[in-house]
Amino acid sequence: SQTIHQWPATLVQPVGSPLSLECTVEGTSNPNLYWYRQAAGRGLQLLFYSVGIGQISSEVPQNLSASRPQDRQFILSSKKLLLSDSGFYLCAWSSSRALVEQFFGPGTRLTVL
Amino acid sequence: AQKVTQAQTEISVVEKEDVTLDCVYETRDTTYYLFWYKQPPSGELVFLIRRNSFDEQNEISGRYSWNFQKSTSSFNFTITASQVVDSAVYFCALSGTGANSKLTFGKGITLSVRP
């Protein structure tokens, strides 16, 4: 069965510090991968998605970037965090053969102070 | 453009009551998918159901049932005999069927089930 991991689970960072969140998927190959942010208002905002190694699509301009160095690894980064980057970050995957339901990881709660 | 509206923001019921969560969507696609996800306090989104636009048959899974009506662009979710463990945020979502389709989520409904 497929499993998706995210770490760290929680993170408190000062403004201006760098960020690296990692997501890995097990039990499937060539998945589509997604990064979402959920701010205090509960809505889910798609940040990035990837259909393959090195292929990243950005949904909104922001202070963040994403990379996919390996087939089942997806990384969310920032060089300098802003207060507005605080939120709950969720990674998700879906089958590349059928772009339907996405399965989500446990999330990372980021607080920027 | 696609849009999902969950007009109810918070619902509070007493255990064993039935509760319906509303979802209305907008899309120009002729074929699409609809979803419901549950987000318990732990934060992880749990996939509940996917419905294809060409299949309007209602579905029941235990205490959960879904009513899809294309004529009103609605995909409502009913929990029968609610339990405290049903307390969560519930999201309705929509996607197209194309190669690069993405999920469009509603803002979610916070359901509180009191003992």
Side-chain angles (χ1 to χ4, degrees), chain A residues 4 32 34 36 38 41-46 49 51 57 59 88 90 98-107 109, chain B residues 9-10 33 35 37 39 42-45 47 50 89 91 95-96 98-103 105-110:
Chain A
I4 179 167
N32 297 312
Y34 310 83
Y36 289 86
Q38 187 176 26
R42 284 203 319 267
L44 283 155
Q45 179 185 36
L46 178 63
Y49 70 94
V51 298
S57 296
E59 285 297 295
F88 190 54
L90 287 156
L99 286 167
V100 286
E101 57 266 23
Q102 296 176 18
F103 299 95
F104 287 78
R109 196 163 301 279
Chain B
T9 54
E10 295 184 15
Y33 294 106
F35 307 82
Y37 285 85
Q39 186 177 38
S42 60
E44 179 178 349
L45 263 74
F47 166 73
R50 178 193 73 201
V89 181
F91 290 94
S95 80
N100 290 318
S101 296
K102 307 175 198 70
L103 282 177
F105 284 89
K107 291 189 180 300
I109 302 170
T110 300

Side-chain angles (χ1 to χ4, degrees), chain A residues 1-19:
Chain A
S1 64
Q2 299 84 13
T3 310
I4 179 167
H5 303 279
Q6 283 186 247
W7 65 89
T10 60
L11 192 60
V12 180
Q13 291 285 94
V15 169
S17 64
L19 173 74

Side-chain angles (χ1 to χ4, degrees), chain B residues 19-94:
Chain B
V19 57
T20 296
L21 310 181
D22 298 334
C23 174
V24 174
Y25 62 92
E26 296 175 29
T27 181
R28 294 179 183 174
D29 293 341
T30 53
T31 58
Y32 48 89
Y33 294 106
L34 293 162
F35 307 82
W36 276 95
Y37 285 85
K38 174 182 179 180
Q39 186 177 38
S42 60
E44 179 178 349
L45 263 74
V46 178
F47 166 73
L48 296 179
I49 190 173
R50 178 193 73 201
R51 172 60 74 214
N52 302 334
S53 57
F54 50 83
D55 180 5
E56 287 193 69
Q57 188 173 8
N58 292 330
E59 182 156 343
I60 298 175
S61 176
R63 295 184 297 107
Y64 294 172
S65 62
W66 290 270
N67 183 351
F68 176 33
Q69 292 198 352
K70 234 174 171 177
S71 60
T72 56
S73 297
S74 64
F75 185 42
N76 297 337
F77 174 26
T78 297
I79 302 175
T80 303
S82 60
Q83 300 176 2
V84 173
V85 294
D86 296 326
S87 297
V89 181
Y90 290 87
F91 290 94
C92 181
L94 165 71

